[in-house]
Amino acid sequence: MDESHLQHLRRAIEVARRSREHGNHPFGAILVDENNEVILEAENTVNTEQDCTGHAETNLIRLATHQFSPETLRKCTLYTSTEPCAMCSGAIHWGQVGRVVYGLSEEGLYALTGSHHKNETMLLPCREVFARSGRPVEVIGPLLEDEARVVHEGFWT
């Protein structure tokens, strides 16, 4: 296993922790360039912005597409504390990011939240969304699920 993946994933989990501290859902994402440098990070802002599309990955893609070319983004890796939902996977596809590495799986999150009204998940793995995108997006994960799960403890109850 690539040690840099674990390092960046732990940073995404830390961003998720900050998101929770700021009153939002515990999700975080970072973007790493082809030189293995963190170039952006984003928290979930669903609660503070009162925006159901304010997921960490969607916020990150919005920032990234304003700052970087599609050619650059295709060489980037998006690290996220939890597997991207269908909406975020679509944003990652249209944002042209080439690789996704995630911590907690969608199934693992659902096991914690069930059908909680604040996490209406579709139980649609990101790999299935990307498989239909017509452009390859490499997916690595789940990794560090136990560490990624901790930030959710007590949040959804």
Side-chain angles (χ1 to χ4, degrees):
M1 185 177 306
D2 186 336
E3 188 61 36
S4 68
H5 285 329
L6 302 180
Q7 174 189 354
H8 292 311
L9 199 48
R10 285 185 174 112
R11 181 163 175 178
I13 293 167
E14 180 55 37
V15 174
R17 186 171 288 109
R18 286 198 318 261
S19 177
R20 182 175 177 168
E21 290 169 0
H22 294 145
N24 290 295
H25 299 171
F27 301 100
I30 66 169
L31 190 65
V32 175
D33 68 13
E34 66 182 317
N35 298 314
N36 209 31
E37 298 293 325
V38 176
I39 56 176
L40 284 175
E41 61 180 45
E43 298 177 12
N44 176 289
T45 57
V46 167
N47 292 338
T48 55
E49 298 293 323
Q50 296 181 352
D51 177 2
C52 64
T53 67
H55 293 195
E57 301 92 339
T58 304
N59 288 339
L60 186 74
I61 292 296
R62 192 175 297 113
L63 291 169
T65 58
H66 285 288
Q67 296 181 39
F68 304 104
S69 71
E71 295 77 27
T72 297
L73 292 173
R74 284 185 204 110
K75 298 173 190 171
C76 288
T77 301
L78 187 149
Y79 291 86
T80 181
S81 60
T82 305
E83 182 174 359
C85 71
M87 176 184 70
C88 292
S89 296
I92 292 163
H93 160 75
W94 282 297
Q96 302 288 310
V97 171
R99 180 188 302 134
V100 172
V101 178
Y102 67 87
L104 183 62
S105 69
E106 183 79 9
E107 284 186 6
L109 177 64
Y110 189 77
L112 291 171
T113 66
S115 59
H116 194 283
H117 69 281
K118 290 188 177 181
N119 186 51
E120 296 181 13
T121 187
M122 294 177 149
L123 279 177
L124 180 60
C126 69
R127 283 179 174 89
E128 288 186 35
V129 176
F130 296 137
R132 299 173 188 273
S133 75
R135 184 182 58 77
V137 177
E138 181 183 1
V139 178
I140 300 171
L143 300 174
L144 302 176
E145 277 199 286
D146 289 339
E147 291 180 42
R149 187 177 290 110
V150 170
V151 73
H152 293 276
E153 289 178 353
F155 184 84
W156 304 103
T157 57

